[in-house]
Amino acid sequence: WPQPSRSVSAASGCTMPSRSEFALVAVSVYALALTLRHAQLSGPLNSLCTRDFVEPAASGTCLCGEKEFCLCTPSLAADVIIELEDSVGTVRHVVFIERKDGRGLAMVGGFVKVGESAEAAAAREAAEETGLEVTQLQQWCMFSEPRRDPRRHTAALVFVGRARGTPRSGDDAKGIRVVSISDLQRAPPKFAFDHGQIVAAFVARHHPLEAHAGWRRRNHRSSGGSAADAAYDGSCRV
């Protein structure tokens, strides 16, 4: 490639940087200054973010630029309830991960990356966390109650999919738990956050049982259910 032209000082004989090199250095310094400035801020990146929060102490995902641009929204997660098929295609179990923080079981999933569809994120998370290739992936329901995750406002788009094979835990999980449909109907394990309520709605919709209503009441007490249960027992159940 042709080299940028440089000027030479007659007095010192030193080669002077070209204009393009000066511009590159200036842009790099400016970008570093912006990065350090935002890294030192706590809470919303700037005051423009407050217009996107219902509560000042809320936390979500913010994208802030120069001048008058700043947009804050809930973080978007793509979770998938994986129905595990046997050799003849019958579903008798569901795959969950064991969280490393001790909160209990959780649906497989994670945050959607920029430039990635929610469907692609769900399939990617399933492969990363369980080693399974999920098929028949279908959107089921969105769960967005602001306090469903104590860390920050997270809206979870939940998918239902099917897979075959033996799941193996990935880096993000402590382990894998394969739970039978009958256990989910009658004696569910402990779940993190509101995942127990989501699984309850899933069982009522996809694997109904008369005894499920009693189980939902027990799970509601054990998982600290709130007034937001109407969302789980309404549009996402029927």
Side-chain angles (χ1 to χ4, degrees), residues 62-95:
C62 294
L63 175 64
C64 296
E66 298 181 49
K67 297 181 180 179
E68 298 299 317
F69 174 75
C70 193
L71 175 67
C72 297
T73 68
S75 301
L76 177 62
D79 296 329
V80 54
I81 297 175
I82 303 176
E83 298 179 317
L84 197 61
E85 294 181 337
D86 60 19
S87 59
V88 296
T90 302
V91 173
R92 291 191 174 89
H93 297 84
V94 177
V95 180

PDB file of all heavy atoms in Angstrom, residues 62-95:
ATOM      1  N   CYS A  62     -29.145   1.475  28.332  1.00  0.00           N
ATOM      2  CA  CYS A  62     -29.130   2.841  27.822  1.00  0.00           C
ATOM      3  C   CYS A  62     -28.130   2.987  26.687  1.00  0.00           C
ATOM      4  O   CYS A  62     -27.028   2.442  26.744  1.00  0.00           O
ATOM      5  CB  CYS A  62     -28.770   3.831  28.927  1.00  0.00           C
ATOM      6  SG  CYS A  62     -30.003   3.946  30.239  1.00  0.00           S
ATOM      7  N   LEU A  63     -28.536   3.732  25.686  1.00  0.00           N
ATOM      8  CA  LEU A  63     -27.669   4.075  24.577  1.00  0.00           C
ATOM      9  C   LEU A  63     -27.683   5.593  24.463  1.00  0.00           C
ATOM     10  O   LEU A  63     -28.689   6.187  24.096  1.00  0.00           O
ATOM     11  CB  LEU A  63     -28.166   3.443  23.274  1.00  0.00           C
ATOM     12  CG  LEU A  63     -27.403   3.830  22.002  1.00  0.00           C
ATOM     13  CD1 LEU A  63     -25.959   3.333  22.085  1.00  0.00           C
ATOM     14  CD2 LEU A  63     -28.091   3.263  20.776  1.00  0.00           C
ATOM     15  N   CYS A  64     -26.581   6.215  24.828  1.00  0.00           N
ATOM     16  CA  CYS A  64     -26.519   7.673  24.869  1.00  0.00           C
ATOM     17  C   CYS A  64     -25.417   8.181  23.958  1.00  0.00           C
ATOM     18  O   CYS A  64     -24.292   7.677  23.977  1.00  0.00           O
ATOM     19  CB  CYS A  64     -26.275   8.168  26.291  1.00  0.00           C
ATOM     20  SG  CYS A  64     -27.619   7.775  27.430  1.00  0.00           S
ATOM     21  N   GLY A  65     -25.744   9.180  23.165  1.00  0.00           N
ATOM     22  CA  GLY A  65     -24.766   9.788  22.280  1.00  0.00           C
ATOM     23  C   GLY A  65     -24.565  11.244  22.626  1.00  0.00           C
ATOM     24  O   GLY A  65     -24.796  11.673  23.760  1.00  0.00           O
ATOM     25  N   GLU A  66     -24.156  12.001  21.648  1.00  0.00           N
ATOM     26  CA  GLU A  66     -23.884  13.407  21.893  1.00  0.00           C
ATOM     27  C   GLU A  66     -25.159  14.237  21.813  1.00  0.00           C
ATOM     28  O   GLU A  66     -26.196  13.787  21.339  1.00  0.00           O
ATOM     29  CB  GLU A  66     -22.871  13.919  20.859  1.00  0.00           C
ATOM     30  CG  GLU A  66     -21.520  13.210  20.925  1.00  0.00           C
ATOM     31  CD  GLU A  66     -20.548  13.766  19.905  1.00  0.00           C
ATOM     32  OE1 GLU A  66     -20.420  14.994  19.842  1.00  0.00           O
ATOM     33  OE2 GLU A  66     -19.954  12.969  19.177  1.00  0.00           O
ATOM     34  N   LYS A  67     -25.073  15.443  22.302  1.00  0.00           N
ATOM     35  CA  LYS A  67     -26.130  16.453  22.238  1.00  0.00           C
ATOM     36  C   LYS A  67     -27.412  15.944  22.889  1.00  0.00           C
ATOM     37  O   LYS A  67     -27.427  15.589  24.041  1.00  0.00           O
ATOM     38  CB  LYS A  67     -26.348  16.873  20.784  1.00  0.00           C
ATOM     39  CG  LYS A  67     -25.114  17.532  20.168  1.00  0.00           C
ATOM     40  CD  LYS A  67     -25.366  17.955  18.734  1.00  0.00           C
ATOM     41  CE  LYS A  67     -24.119  18.614  18.153  1.00  0.00           C
ATOM     42  NZ  LYS A  67     -24.313  19.032  16.749  1.00  0.00           N
ATOM     43  N   GLU A  68     -28.490  15.823  22.118  1.00  0.00           N
ATOM     44  CA  GLU A  68     -29.798  15.549  22.704  1.00  0.00           C
ATOM     45  C   GLU A  68     -30.263  14.118  22.527  1.00  0.00           C
ATOM     46  O   GLU A  68     -31.461  13.843  22.613  1.00  0.00           O
ATOM     47  CB  GLU A  68     -30.847  16.492  22.089  1.00  0.00           C
ATOM     48  CG  GLU A  68     -30.581  17.948  22.365  1.00  0.00           C
ATOM     49  CD  GLU A  68     -30.599  18.254  23.858  1.00  0.00           C
ATOM     50  OE1 GLU A  68     -31.500  17.745  24.556  1.00  0.00           O
ATOM     51  OE2 GLU A  68     -29.711  18.984  24.319  1.00  0.00           O
ATOM     52  N   PHE A  69     -29.339  13.183  22.277  1.00  0.00           N
ATOM     53  CA  PHE A  69     -29.763  11.809  22.022  1.00  0.00           C
ATOM     54  C   PHE A  69     -29.456  10.911  23.206  1.00  0.00           C
ATOM     55  O   PHE A  69     -28.324  10.830  23.661  1.00  0.00           O
ATOM     56  CB  PHE A  69     -29.069  11.243  20.786  1.00  0.00           C
ATOM     57  CG  PHE A  69     -29.363   9.778  20.579  1.00  0.00           C
ATOM     58  CD1 PHE A  69     -30.594   9.365  20.099  1.00  0.00           C
ATOM     59  CD2 PHE A  69     -28.425   8.814  20.920  1.00  0.00           C
ATOM     60  CE1 PHE A  69     -30.879   8.019  19.938  1.00  0.00           C
ATOM     61  CE2 PHE A  69     -28.701   7.461  20.750  1.00  0.00           C
ATOM     62  CZ  PHE A  69     -29.930   7.068  20.252  1.00  0.00           C
ATOM     63  N   CYS A  70     -30.494  10.246  23.713  1.00  0.00           N
ATOM     64  CA  CYS A  70     -30.310   9.226  24.746  1.00  0.00           C
ATOM     65  C   CYS A  70     -31.587   8.387  24.796  1.00  0.00           C
ATOM     66  O   CYS A  70     -32.685   8.925  24.851  1.00  0.00           O
ATOM     67  CB  CYS A  70     -30.043   9.839  26.114  1.00  0.00           C
ATOM     68  SG  CYS A  70     -29.454   8.636  27.329  1.00  0.00           S
ATOM     69  N   LEU A  71     -31.436   7.083  24.754  1.00  0.00           N
ATOM     70  CA  LEU A  71     -32.584   6.174  24.772  1.00  0.00           C
ATOM     71  C   LEU A  71     -32.322   5.061  25.772  1.00  0.00           C
ATOM     72  O   LEU A  71     -31.284   4.401  25.720  1.00  0.00           O
ATOM     73  CB  LEU A  71     -32.817   5.566  23.386  1.00  0.00           C
ATOM     74  CG  LEU A  71     -33.915   4.504  23.294  1.00  0.00           C
ATOM     75  CD1 LEU A  71     -35.283   5.130  23.557  1.00  0.00           C
ATOM     76  CD2 LEU A  71     -33.903   3.838  21.926  1.00  0.00           C
ATOM     77  N   CYS A  72     -33.249   4.868  26.695  1.00  0.00           N
ATOM     78  CA  CYS A  72     -33.134   3.801  27.692  1.00  0.00           C
ATOM     79  C   CYS A  72     -34.368   2.909  27.609  1.00  0.00           C
ATOM     80  O   CYS A  72     -35.495   3.398  27.586  1.00  0.00           O
ATOM     81  CB  CYS A  72     -32.998   4.371  29.096  1.00  0.00           C
ATOM     82  SG  CYS A  72     -31.516   5.365  29.345  1.00  0.00           S
ATOM     83  N   THR A  73     -34.157   1.611  27.585  1.00  0.00           N
ATOM     84  CA  THR A  73     -35.254   0.650  27.503  1.00  0.00           C
ATOM     85  C   THR A  73     -34.957  -0.519  28.431  1.00  0.00           C
ATOM     86  O   THR A  73     -33.814  -0.703  28.865  1.00  0.00           O
ATOM     87  CB  THR A  73     -35.429   0.108  26.076  1.00  0.00           C
ATOM     88  OG1 THR A  73     -34.281  -0.696  25.744  1.00  0.00           O
ATOM     89  CG2 THR A  73     -35.564   1.234  25.073  1.00  0.00           C
ATOM     90  N   PRO A  74     -35.972  -1.338  28.756  1.00  0.00           N
ATOM     91  CA  PRO A  74     -35.682  -2.585  29.480  1.00  0.00           C
ATOM     92  C   PRO A  74     -34.751  -3.468  28.661  1.00  0.00           C
ATOM     93  O   PRO A  74     -34.750  -3.422  27.432  1.00  0.00           O
ATOM     94  CB  PRO A  74     -37.065  -3.235  29.634  1.00  0.00           C
ATOM     95  CG  PRO A  74     -38.040  -2.108  29.511  1.00  0.00           C
ATOM     96  CD  PRO A  74     -37.413  -1.151  28.534  1.00  0.00           C
ATOM     97  N   SER A  75     -33.956  -4.252  29.349  1.00  0.00           N
ATOM     98  CA  SER A  75     -33.089  -5.211  28.661  1.00  0.00           C
ATOM     99  C   SER A  75     -33.955  -6.342  28.114  1.00  0.00           C
ATOM    100  O   SER A  75     -34.917  -6.764  28.752  1.00  0.00           O
ATOM    101  CB  SER A  75     -32.046  -5.768  29.634  1.00  0.00           C
ATOM    102  OG  SER A  75     -31.261  -4.726  30.158  1.00  0.00           O
ATOM    103  N   LEU A  76     -33.600  -6.850  26.941  1.00  0.00           N
ATOM    104  CA  LEU A  76     -34.383  -7.904  26.303  1.00  0.00           C
ATOM    105  C   LEU A  76     -33.662  -9.243  26.401  1.00  0.00           C
ATOM    106  O   LEU A  76     -32.516  -9.382  25.958  1.00  0.00           O
ATOM    107  CB  LEU A  76     -34.628  -7.568  24.831  1.00  0.00           C
ATOM    108  CG  LEU A  76     -35.367  -8.629  24.016  1.00  0.00           C
ATOM    109  CD1 LEU A  76     -36.773  -8.864  24.586  1.00  0.00           C
ATOM    110  CD2 LEU A  76     -35.443  -8.236  22.547  1.00  0.00           C
ATOM    111  N   ALA A  77     -34.347 -10.206  26.993  1.00  0.00           N
ATOM    112  CA  ALA A  77     -33.818 -11.568  27.096  1.00  0.00           C
ATOM    113  C   ALA A  77     -34.653 -12.504  26.241  1.00  0.00           C
ATOM    114  O   ALA A  77     -35.860 -12.305  26.081  1.00  0.00           O
ATOM    115  CB  ALA A  77     -33.819 -12.043  28.548  1.00  0.00           C
ATOM    116  N   ALA A  78     -34.003 -13.518  25.698  1.00  0.00           N
ATOM    117  CA  ALA A  78     -34.694 -14.568  24.951  1.00  0.00           C
ATOM    118  C   ALA A  78     -34.500 -15.872  25.710  1.00  0.00           C
ATOM    119  O   ALA A  78     -33.381 -16.374  25.822  1.00  0.00           O
ATOM    120  CB  ALA A  78     -34.140 -14.684  23.541  1.00  0.00           C
ATOM    121  N   ASP A  79     -35.573 -16.387  26.286  1.00  0.00           N
ATOM    122  CA  ASP A  79     -35.528 -17.640  27.040  1.00  0.00           C
ATOM    123  C   ASP A  79     -36.272 -18.720  26.272  1.00  0.00           C
ATOM    124  O   ASP A  79     -37.206 -18.422  25.507  1.00  0.00           O
ATOM    125  CB  ASP A  79     -36.158 -17.464  28.427  1.00  0.00           C
ATOM    126  CG  ASP A  79     -35.382 -16.486  29.290  1.00  0.00           C
ATOM    127  OD1 ASP A  79     -34.149 -16.406  29.104  1.00  0.00           O
ATOM    128  OD2 ASP A  79     -35.992 -15.800  30.125  1.00  0.00           O
ATOM    129  N   VAL A  80     -35.890 -19.958  26.485  1.00  0.00           N
ATOM    130  CA  VAL A  80     -36.551 -21.053  25.775  1.00  0.00           C
ATOM    131  C   VAL A  80     -36.807 -22.213  26.734  1.00  0.00           C
ATOM    132  O   VAL A  80     -35.926 -22.617  27.488  1.00  0.00           O
ATOM    133  CB  VAL A  80     -35.710 -21.525  24.560  1.00  0.00           C
ATOM    134  CG1 VAL A  80     -34.296 -21.883  24.955  1.00  0.00           C
ATOM    135  CG2 VAL A  80     -36.382 -22.682  23.844  1.00  0.00           C
ATOM    136  N   ILE A  81     -38.041 -22.679  26.727  1.00  0.00           N
ATOM    137  CA  ILE A  81     -38.423 -23.881  27.466  1.00  0.00           C
ATOM    138  C   ILE A  81     -38.230 -25.049  26.512  1.00  0.00           C
ATOM    139  O   ILE A  81     -38.944 -25.171  25.509  1.00  0.00           O
ATOM    140  CB  ILE A  81     -39.876 -23.790  27.961  1.00  0.00           C
ATOM    141  CG1 ILE A  81     -40.018 -22.631  28.954  1.00  0.00           C
ATOM    142  CG2 ILE A  81     -40.311 -25.098  28.604  1.00  0.00           C
ATOM    143  CD1 ILE A  81     -41.438 -22.383  29.416  1.00  0.00           C
ATOM    144  N   ILE A  82     -37.246 -25.891  26.808  1.00  0.00           N
ATOM    145  CA  ILE A  82     -36.873 -26.976  25.900  1.00  0.00           C
ATOM    146  C   ILE A  82     -37.580 -28.266  26.305  1.00  0.00           C
ATOM    147  O   ILE A  82     -37.315 -28.829  27.373  1.00  0.00           O
ATOM    148  CB  ILE A  82     -35.351 -27.201  25.911  1.00  0.00           C
ATOM    149  CG1 ILE A  82     -34.621 -25.904  25.538  1.00  0.00           C
ATOM    150  CG2 ILE A  82     -34.972 -28.318  24.945  1.00  0.00           C
ATOM    151  CD1 ILE A  82     -33.105 -26.019  25.625  1.00  0.00           C
ATOM    152  N   GLU A  83     -38.480 -28.714  25.455  1.00  0.00           N
ATOM    153  CA  GLU A  83     -39.141 -29.994  25.657  1.00  0.00           C
ATOM    154  C   GLU A  83     -38.248 -31.086  25.060  1.00  0.00           C
ATOM    155  O   GLU A  83     -37.916 -31.042  23.874  1.00  0.00           O
ATOM    156  CB  GLU A  83     -40.511 -30.003  24.990  1.00  0.00           C
ATOM    157  CG  GLU A  83     -41.473 -28.964  25.560  1.00  0.00           C
ATOM    158  CD  GLU A  83     -42.817 -28.993  24.858  1.00  0.00           C
ATOM    159  OE1 GLU A  83     -42.829 -29.100  23.610  1.00  0.00           O
ATOM    160  OE2 GLU A  83     -43.845 -28.900  25.543  1.00  0.00           O
ATOM    161  N   LEU A  84     -37.875 -32.040  25.885  1.00  0.00           N
ATOM    162  CA  LEU A  84     -36.946 -33.081  25.452  1.00  0.00           C
ATOM    163  C   LEU A  84     -37.723 -34.278  24.917  1.00  0.00           C
ATOM    164  O   LEU A  84     -38.536 -34.892  25.628  1.00  0.00           O
ATOM    165  CB  LEU A  84     -36.059 -33.503  26.629  1.00  0.00           C
ATOM    166  CG  LEU A  84     -34.784 -34.275  26.289  1.00  0.00           C
ATOM    167  CD1 LEU A  84     -33.865 -33.436  25.409  1.00  0.00           C
ATOM    168  CD2 LEU A  84     -34.063 -34.686  27.568  1.00  0.00           C
ATOM    169  N   GLU A  85     -37.490 -34.609  23.657  1.00  0.00           N
ATOM    170  CA  GLU A  85     -38.179 -35.727  23.024  1.00  0.00           C
ATOM    171  C   GLU A  85     -37.410 -37.029  23.241  1.00  0.00           C
ATOM    172  O   GLU A  85     -36.173 -37.039  23.306  1.00  0.00           O
ATOM    173  CB  GLU A  85     -38.312 -35.492  21.523  1.00  0.00           C
ATOM    174  CG  GLU A  85     -39.203 -34.331  21.136  1.00  0.00           C
ATOM    175  CD  GLU A  85     -39.311 -34.184  19.621  1.00  0.00           C
ATOM    176  OE1 GLU A  85     -38.399 -34.660  18.917  1.00  0.00           O
ATOM    177  OE2 GLU A  85     -40.295 -33.601  19.149  1.00  0.00           O
ATOM    178  N   ASP A  86     -38.158 -38.139  23.318  1.00  0.00           N
ATOM    179  CA  ASP A  86     -37.506 -39.439  23.343  1.00  0.00           C
ATOM    180  C   ASP A  86     -37.318 -39.932  21.906  1.00  0.00           C
ATOM    181  O   ASP A  86     -37.539 -39.183  20.939  1.00  0.00           O
ATOM    182  CB  ASP A  86     -38.294 -40.450  24.189  1.00  0.00           C
ATOM    183  CG  ASP A  86     -39.716 -40.676  23.677  1.00  0.00           C
ATOM    184  OD1 ASP A  86     -39.988 -40.364  22.501  1.00  0.00           O
ATOM    185  OD2 ASP A  86     -40.552 -41.188  24.456  1.00  0.00           O
ATOM    186  N   SER A  87     -36.939 -41.181  21.731  1.00  0.00           N
ATOM    187  CA  SER A  87     -36.604 -41.707  20.408  1.00  0.00           C
ATOM    188  C   SER A  87     -37.788 -41.741  19.450  1.00  0.00           C
ATOM    189  O   SER A  87     -37.602 -41.780  18.222  1.00  0.00           O
ATOM    190  CB  SER A  87     -36.014 -43.114  20.534  1.00  0.00           C
ATOM    191  OG  SER A  87     -36.944 -43.984  21.176  1.00  0.00           O
ATOM    192  N   VAL A  88     -39.004 -41.719  19.978  1.00  0.00           N
ATOM    193  CA  VAL A  88     -40.185 -41.760  19.114  1.00  0.00           C
ATOM    194  C   VAL A  88     -40.885 -40.399  19.051  1.00  0.00           C
ATOM    195  O   VAL A  88     -41.988 -40.288  18.517  1.00  0.00           O
ATOM    196  CB  VAL A  88     -41.177 -42.856  19.579  1.00  0.00           C
ATOM    197  CG1 VAL A  88     -40.542 -44.219  19.439  1.00  0.00           C
ATOM    198  CG2 VAL A  88     -41.632 -42.597  21.007  1.00  0.00           C
ATOM    199  N   GLY A  89     -40.263 -39.371  19.623  1.00  0.00           N
ATOM    200  CA  GLY A  89     -40.818 -38.035  19.531  1.00  0.00           C
ATOM    201  C   GLY A  89     -41.782 -37.648  20.630  1.00  0.00           C
ATOM    202  O   GLY A  89     -42.417 -36.591  20.544  1.00  0.00           O
ATOM    203  N   THR A  90     -41.891 -38.468  21.671  1.00  0.00           N
ATOM    204  CA  THR A  90     -42.785 -38.154  22.794  1.00  0.00           C
ATOM    205  C   THR A  90     -42.063 -37.260  23.790  1.00  0.00           C
ATOM    206  O   THR A  90     -40.892 -37.479  24.118  1.00  0.00           O
ATOM    207  CB  THR A  90     -43.247 -39.436  23.500  1.00  0.00           C
ATOM    208  OG1 THR A  90     -43.901 -40.284  22.554  1.00  0.00           O
ATOM    209  CG2 THR A  90     -44.210 -39.111  24.644  1.00  0.00           C
ATOM    210  N   VAL A  91     -42.765 -36.228  24.281  1.00  0.00           N
ATOM    211  CA  VAL A  91     -42.189 -35.302  25.258  1.00  0.00           C
ATOM    212  C   VAL A  91     -42.623 -35.704  26.658  1.00  0.00           C
ATOM    213  O   VAL A  91     -43.815 -35.731  26.969  1.00  0.00           O
ATOM    214  CB  VAL A  91     -42.623 -33.850  24.967  1.00  0.00           C
ATOM    215  CG1 VAL A  91     -42.166 -32.924  26.088  1.00  0.00           C
ATOM    216  CG2 VAL A  91     -42.068 -33.394  23.636  1.00  0.00           C
ATOM    217  N   ARG A  92     -41.617 -35.996  27.495  1.00  0.00           N
ATOM    218  CA  ARG A  92     -41.909 -36.315  28.890  1.00  0.00           C
ATOM    219  C   ARG A  92     -41.063 -35.498  29.871  1.00  0.00           C
ATOM    220  O   ARG A  92     -41.270 -35.579  31.070  1.00  0.00           O
ATOM    221  CB  ARG A  92     -41.677 -37.815  29.154  1.00  0.00           C
ATOM    222  CG  ARG A  92     -42.686 -38.732  28.468  1.00  0.00           C
ATOM    223  CD  ARG A  92     -42.574 -40.153  28.989  1.00  0.00           C
ATOM    224  NE  ARG A  92     -43.612 -41.016  28.445  1.00  0.00           N
ATOM    225  CZ  ARG A  92     -43.492 -41.707  27.314  1.00  0.00           C
ATOM    226  NH1 ARG A  92     -42.363 -41.626  26.604  1.00  0.00           N
ATOM    227  NH2 ARG A  92     -44.484 -42.467  26.866  1.00  0.00           N
ATOM    228  N   HIS A  93     -40.109 -34.735  29.350  1.00  0.00           N
ATOM    229  CA  HIS A  93     -39.217 -33.974  30.218  1.00  0.00           C
ATOM    230  C   HIS A  93     -38.960 -32.580  29.646  1.00  0.00           C
ATOM    231  O   HIS A  93     -39.124 -32.345  28.446  1.00  0.00           O
ATOM    232  CB  HIS A  93     -37.871 -34.698  30.390  1.00  0.00           C
ATOM    233  CG  HIS A  93     -37.982 -36.019  31.062  1.00  0.00           C
ATOM    234  ND1 HIS A  93     -38.309 -37.180  30.377  1.00  0.00           N
ATOM    235  CD2 HIS A  93     -37.814 -36.377  32.362  1.00  0.00           C
ATOM    236  CE1 HIS A  93     -38.332 -38.192  31.232  1.00  0.00           C
ATOM    237  NE2 HIS A  93     -38.032 -37.743  32.437  1.00  0.00           N
ATOM    238  N   VAL A  94     -38.539 -31.680  30.523  1.00  0.00           N
ATOM    239  CA  VAL A  94     -38.168 -30.323  30.147  1.00  0.00           C
ATOM    240  C   VAL A  94     -36.769 -30.047  30.702  1.00  0.00           C
ATOM    241  O   VAL A  94     -36.435 -30.474  31.806  1.00  0.00           O
ATOM    242  CB  VAL A  94     -39.167 -29.280  30.698  1.00  0.00           C
ATOM    243  CG1 VAL A  94     -38.715 -27.862  30.355  1.00  0.00           C
ATOM    244  CG2 VAL A  94     -40.562 -29.539  30.140  1.00  0.00           C
ATOM    245  N   VAL A  95     -35.959 -29.341  29.920  1.00  0.00           N
ATOM    246  CA  VAL A  95     -34.570 -29.073  30.289  1.00  0.00           C
ATOM    247  C   VAL A  95     -34.449 -27.688  30.923  1.00  0.00           C
ATOM    248  O   VAL A  95     -34.919 -26.688  30.363  1.00  0.00           O
ATOM    249  CB  VAL A  95     -33.651 -29.154  29.054  1.00  0.00           C
ATOM    250  CG1 VAL A  95     -32.196 -28.872  29.444  1.00  0.00           C
ATOM    251  CG2 VAL A  95     -33.778 -30.519  28.391  1.00  0.00           C
TER     252      VAL A  95
END
